Amino acid sequence: MSQVVGRFAPSPSGRMHLGNLLCSLLAWLSARSAGGRVVLRIEDLDAMRCPRTFADLLEQDLSWLGLDWDEGGSKGGPHGPYYQSERSEIYNLYYQRLVERGLVYPCFCSRGQLHAASAPHRSDGQVVYPGTCRNLTARQVAEAAKRRPPAWRLRLPEDLTLSFTDGHMGPVTENLPADCGDFVLRRADGVFAYQLAVVVDDALMGVTQVVRGGDLLSSTPRQLWLYQLLDLPAPTFCHLPLLLAPDGRRLSKRDGDQSLENLQARFTPEQIIGKLAYAAGLRSTPDPVRAADLVADFSWDKVPRQDICLPDGLF
Ligand SMILES: [Zn+2]
């Protein structure tokens, strides 16, 4: 069997917080417990929102926690560059393959039109694209292009059901046209969409195992379709439960006390890892522990599938 390659793929728009700390810990444990390698890719597609200083801090934070990686980030390696903001030429190569096959069309819908009250919504709150711009004539496109630059969408087949088994969450099935609709590959500002970038990156970087937050579970069928269209090898996926505040609210960057900057002032790396491992079901007590000492006993079976509510007073 070929070697497991896992990855960290953080978006450095701020300091790490508990949610992405847990994700990094589990991604690292999942790869290392299988004797695998780890790649660090910086997901700074929105380069303006992700200054390099945050990416550098993120590397320091991962190292401080004892989560190491074999290639990527400022360390470089054979599959670089490892910053998405430097990879648009690579994304364009794959994007053009889809363009050449007639699978990409311009969409001139405004945000307001897309989010109109009549628009069908997915369970995750996203809008199902109704195909408004799917069959515009060349003349209509030329007219609309005078008013605004278009986003570029992938034309899906009329009927397309994708199923896969998530390594942690189990079987997932989605009918892409009905549940999502034609999705954006390139934004109106020219930036390639996350869906395309993540597929190209994971495939070219040899990633075999994607561990990430459960909020991305619903985007996986879109990515699997892109893997098929581009004839790229798809990785396996393990999606994590959400980490919730003690009162059941979703943790976010706005929870300033949960940012690593604040946690570092109060705890050692071993204390933070110990508390996270306890919250995630990996240990029976929140005692301090090194990440490396969790590798031998790691198992996805210990991690709950339902949302994890942080015990009151743990952090
Ligand atoms: Zn449109």
Side-chain angles (χ1 to χ4, degrees):
M1 214 181 113
S2 58
Q3 192 185 31
V4 167
V5 180
R7 41 85 144 178
F8 300 132
S11 194
S13 57
R15 291 301 290 273
M16 293 181 87
H17 57 89
L18 283 176
N20 42 42
L21 288 177
L22 178 65
C23 186
S24 302
L25 174 63
L26 291 176
W28 186 85
L29 287 172
S30 189
R32 293 300 192 215
S33 66
R37 295 165 51 76
V38 178
V39 175
L40 170 62
R41 178 174 70 243
I42 305 295
E43 300 209 327
D44 58 351
L45 280 170
D46 267 311
M48 303 291 276
R49 290 179 52 224
C50 302
R52 191 59 61 91
T53 46
F54 279 142
D56 294 342
L57 274 172
L58 197 132
E59 291 196 7
Q60 288 174 28
D61 291 344
L62 288 170
S63 300
W64 184 79
L65 288 161
L67 305 178
D68 61 347
W69 61 98
D70 302 288
E71 62 173 270
S74 62
K75 199 180 221 176
H79 306 101
Y82 293 90
Y83 298 83
Q84 288 190 326
S85 58
E86 297 174 2
R87 294 177 64 80
S88 45
E89 281 175 37
I90 300 170
Y91 305 142
N92 194 42
L93 285 177
Y94 288 87
Y95 175 74
Q96 291 304 329
R97 288 193 195 174
L98 300 171
V99 171
E100 282 160 20
R101 289 165 63 184
L103 294 175
V104 180
Y105 67 88
C107 166
F108 298 92
C109 296
S110 67
R111 191 170 287 264
Q113 279 170 290
L114 292 174
H115 290 266
S118 58
H121 281 65
R122 302 163 53 96
S123 54
D124 61 8
Q126 297 287 308
V127 175
V128 178
Y129 184 65
T132 316
C133 304
R134 206 169 206 254
N135 299 307
L136 297 182
T137 63
R139 188 176 163 163
Q140 285 172 314
V141 167
E143 277 303 309
K146 289 178 191 162
R147 293 193 298 275
R148 59 188 300 140
W152 299 86
R153 289 184 185 268
L154 178 70
R155 187 185 300 274
L156 294 173
E158 296 294 330
D159 187 25
L160 174 65
T161 299
L162 285 171
S163 300
F164 73 102
T165 301
D166 186 84
H168 190 52
M169 294 299 186
V172 176
T173 294
E174 190 173 285
N175 185 290
L176 266 189
D179 297 336
C180 175
D182 296 342
F183 54 93
V184 172
L185 294 177
R186 191 170 199 176
R187 302 184 337 201
D189 62 5
V191 174
F192 290 100
Y194 169 77
Q195 306 297 344
L196 179 71
V198 74
V199 163
V200 170
D201 287 347
D202 281 331
L204 297 190
M205 293 176 184
V207 171
T208 66
Q209 181 186 76
V210 171
V211 175
R212 60 186 182 188
D215 51 335
L216 289 166
L217 183 63
S218 64
S219 72
T220 309
R222 275 170 271 173
Q223 290 155 30
L224 287 171
W225 182 235
L226 287 174
Y227 279 108
Q228 284 190 41
L229 287 177
L230 295 169
D231 199 21
L232 293 170
T236 60
F237 294 90
C238 286
H239 287 86
L240 308 187
L242 290 178
L243 194 59
L244 304 176
D247 61 6
R249 275 180 315 112
R250 199 170 156 184
L251 286 176
S252 75
K253 283 188 191 118
R254 285 186 288 277
D255 290 296
D257 51 336
Q258 314 289 12
S259 85
L260 190 55
E261 191 176 18
N262 270 300
L263 295 169
Q264 281 177 331
R266 294 155 56 210
F267 303 115
T268 65
E270 292 77 14
Q271 285 176 312
I272 295 174
I273 296 287
K275 289 168 189 287
L276 280 175
Y278 171 67
L282 301 180
R283 302 189 92 211
S284 55
T285 67
D287 297 337
V289 66
R290 294 186 316 145
D293 293 330
L294 296 170
V295 172
D297 291 330
F298 176 75
S299 162
W300 277 107
D301 293 339
K302 298 179 183 174
V303 181
R305 291 202 175 93
Q306 67 278 21
D307 294 349
I308 299 173
C309 217
L310 280 172
D312 209 4
L314 185 65
F315 281 99

